[in-house]
């Protein structure tokens, strides 16, 4: 597809939306200097070639979005230690999410670690007759919070995994929680099962989290309240149950973020059944349950004192006849 001498020095390959079809040409495995590979929005088929992880180990961006790939995610992709943007969404990929994705160590670091990515590099485009042209671009299109946005000089700050709209099954691997630099994680519209991993609170940099339209069950982890940077959250259309953890962050999202989970309750959804009864005001200012019983003991004490006083006087009059005649 490309002359060998040109391929070996190519750092940026953008063939987005160029009507490509068939399998990814194996000749691209010789483009070992590639840092950005965008083959999205085409009609490419077959499996994701394992040699992408074996040979192209300098990739910062891998975008294969919106094609017709099938099969599993190759475990060799876990060798991409410099990868910061992985977009395999809108395909027919099946199987489990590889637990070895925690080896994408660039996503575990905070801040920018992609300073050498060629944002204004050479872009090859293919027209309808297969001719190759050369253009210059200074952006990359990335789907962010449901919208396609252009990233230029700030691309180095973006750390994203988008595996949405596939046929992935199995559980969310706990190893993902080690990618503490992740800003965007989208696993929506798959067939994932099991619970939301409790370790998700380790992803302190998350700004967008979409786990909607899966078969996830169980409760939302209490640790979710620690994700203070979240501005987009979608847990809708699963089988989640229990009470939504109380936090300013989680209650700030619309009810649509939690809809489609019949067993889920708490703000911003319906109130949970059998909630705690209202507590009596604590006039004494003391903490704990003892203050709730102070008014009760006060009235009981008054009644006892009255009875003692009454029977003390009345009993004496009944016993001493002279006093009884004198006072009555």
């Amino acid at each position: 597809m490309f002359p060998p001498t040109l391929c070996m020095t190519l750092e940026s390959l953008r063939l987005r939306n160029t009507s490509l079809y068939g399998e990814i040409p194996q000749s691209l495995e010789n483009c070992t200097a590639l840092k950005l590979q965008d083959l999205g929005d085409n009609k490419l088929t077959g499996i994701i070639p394992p040699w992408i992880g074996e040979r192209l180990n300098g990739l910062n961006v891998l975008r294969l979005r919106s094609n017709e790939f099938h099969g599993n995610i190759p475990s060799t992709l876990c060798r991409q230690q410099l990868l910061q943007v992985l977009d395999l969404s809108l395909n027919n990929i099946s199987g489990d999410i590889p637990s070895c994705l925690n080896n994408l160590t660039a996503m575990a670091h905070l801040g920018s670690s992609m300073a050498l990515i060629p944002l204004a590099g050479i872009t090859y485009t293919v027209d309808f007759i297969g001719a190759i042209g050369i253009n210059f671009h200074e952006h990359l299109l990335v789907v962010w919070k449901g919208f396609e946005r252009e990233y230029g000089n700030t691309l180095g700050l973006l750390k994203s995994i988008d595996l949405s709209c596939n046929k992935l099954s199995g559980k969310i691997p706990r190893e993902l929680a080690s990618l503490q630099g992740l800003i965007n994680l989208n696993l929506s519209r798959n067939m994932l099962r099991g619970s939301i991993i409790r370790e998700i609170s380790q992803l302190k940099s998350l700004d967008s989290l979409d786990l909607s339209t899966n078969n996830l069950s169980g409760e939302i982890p209490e640790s979710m309240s620690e994700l203070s940077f979240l501005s987009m959250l979608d847990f809708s259309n699963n089988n989640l149950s229990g009470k939504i953890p109380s936090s300013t962050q989680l209650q700030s999202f619309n009810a649509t973020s939690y809809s489609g989970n019949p067993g889920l309750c708490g703000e911003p959804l319906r109130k949970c059944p059998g909630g705690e009864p209202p507590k009596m005001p604590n006039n004494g200012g003391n903490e704990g349950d003892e203050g709730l019983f102070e008014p009760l003991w006060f009235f009981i004490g008054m009644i006892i004192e009255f009875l003692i006083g009454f029977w003390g006087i009345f009993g004496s009059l009944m016993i001493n006849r002279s006093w009884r005649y004198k006072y009555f």
Side-chain angles (χ1 to χ4, degrees):
M1 185 175 181
F2 298 100
T5 54
L6 177 62
C7 187
M8 293 179 63
T9 58
L10 186 66
E11 292 187 346
S12 176
L13 178 63
R14 297 179 174 90
L15 293 171
R16 173 184 174 271
N17 196 20
T18 50
S19 301
L20 289 176
Y21 60 91
E23 298 183 354
I24 297 179
Q26 191 166 354
S27 59
L28 286 180
E29 70 175 334
N30 297 318
C31 302
T32 53
L34 273 181
K35 296 181 179 179
L36 185 151
Q37 180 173 307
D38 184 358
L39 304 178
D41 304 290
N42 285 293
K43 297 180 180 179
L44 295 170
T45 58
I47 64 171
I48 298 175
W51 52 258
I52 291 181
E54 295 169 346
R55 299 275 295 168
L56 310 182
N57 51 19
L59 282 177
N60 299 129
V61 175
L62 178 60
R63 187 178 187 273
L64 302 180
R65 171 185 178 85
S66 189
N67 279 285
E68 299 174 9
F69 293 114
H70 64 267
N72 299 341
I73 298 175
S75 60
T76 55
L77 286 184
C78 299
R79 303 180 188 180
Q80 299 289 345
Q81 297 186 1
L82 301 179
L83 197 63
Q84 286 192 218
V85 177
L86 175 63
D87 190 348
L88 306 179
S89 60
L90 288 163
N91 282 285
N92 295 310
I93 302 171
S94 57
D96 295 347
I97 299 174
S99 59
C100 61
L101 287 181
N102 63 329
N103 291 325
L104 304 178
T105 51
M107 296 189 189
H109 300 302
L110 303 177
S112 177
S113 56
M114 201 161 57
L116 301 178
I117 186 171
L119 293 179
I122 297 177
T123 301
Y124 286 85
T125 60
V126 182
D127 61 24
F128 67 97
I129 58 173
I132 298 177
I134 298 179
N135 296 306
F136 287 86
H137 294 275
E138 296 183 353
H139 69 273
L140 179 72
L141 290 175
V142 178
V143 175
W144 179 259
K145 300 179 184 179
F147 298 96
E148 201 167 50
R149 307 185 185 189
E150 292 185 2
Y151 282 81
N153 294 329
T154 59
L155 182 60
L157 297 171
L158 179 62
K159 298 177 182 181
S160 170
I161 293 179
D162 191 345
L163 306 179
S164 61
C165 300
N166 279 290
K167 298 178 180 179
L168 294 170
S169 57
K171 299 181 179 181
I172 300 175
R174 297 183 182 277
E175 289 79 3
L176 280 180
S178 65
L179 303 180
Q180 298 181 20
L182 265 184
I183 296 177
N184 174 53
L185 178 60
N186 190 346
L187 306 179
S188 65
R189 299 183 182 276
N190 281 288
M191 297 181 289
L192 298 174
R193 56 182 175 80
S195 59
I196 299 173
I197 57 175
R198 297 187 181 278
E199 295 84 354
I200 201 166
S201 61
Q202 298 176 24
L203 302 178
K204 303 291 188 183
S205 301
L206 267 187
D207 178 72
S208 177
L209 175 62
D210 193 346
L211 303 179
S212 63
T213 317
N214 279 287
N215 296 316
L216 298 174
S217 58
E219 298 184 352
I220 297 175
E222 289 285 344
S223 60
M224 281 286 304
S225 59
E226 301 175 20
L227 299 180
S228 57
F229 289 104
L230 273 180
S231 66
M232 186 276 179
L233 175 71
D234 195 347
F235 285 166
S236 63
N237 301 314
N238 280 286
N239 295 310
L240 299 174
S241 58
K243 184 179 183 297
I244 298 171
S246 298
S247 75
T248 304
Q249 196 72 16
L250 296 181
Q251 268 69 50
S252 67
F253 299 108
N254 295 329
T256 53
S257 297
Y258 304 100
S259 63
N261 294 282
L264 206 57
C265 64
E267 294 293 334
L269 299 178
R270 61 184 175 87
K271 292 184 178 180
C272 293
E276 295 182 359
K279 293 184 178 181
M280 297 178 63
N282 187 353
N283 296 326
N286 296 324
E287 295 181 359
D289 295 335
E290 294 180 357
L292 298 177
F293 298 98
E294 288 180 0
L296 179 61
W297 285 114
F298 175 76
F299 289 116
I300 292 175
M302 289 181 61
I303 293 172
I304 293 174
E305 289 179 3
F306 172 78
L307 292 175
I308 292 173
F310 175 79
W311 283 108
I313 297 173
F314 187 76
S316 299
L317 291 175
M318 293 296 293
I319 295 171
N320 193 320
R321 179 177 300 179
S322 61
W323 289 6
R324 185 170 67 234
Y325 289 139
K326 182 178 181 180
Y327 288 101
F328 294 95

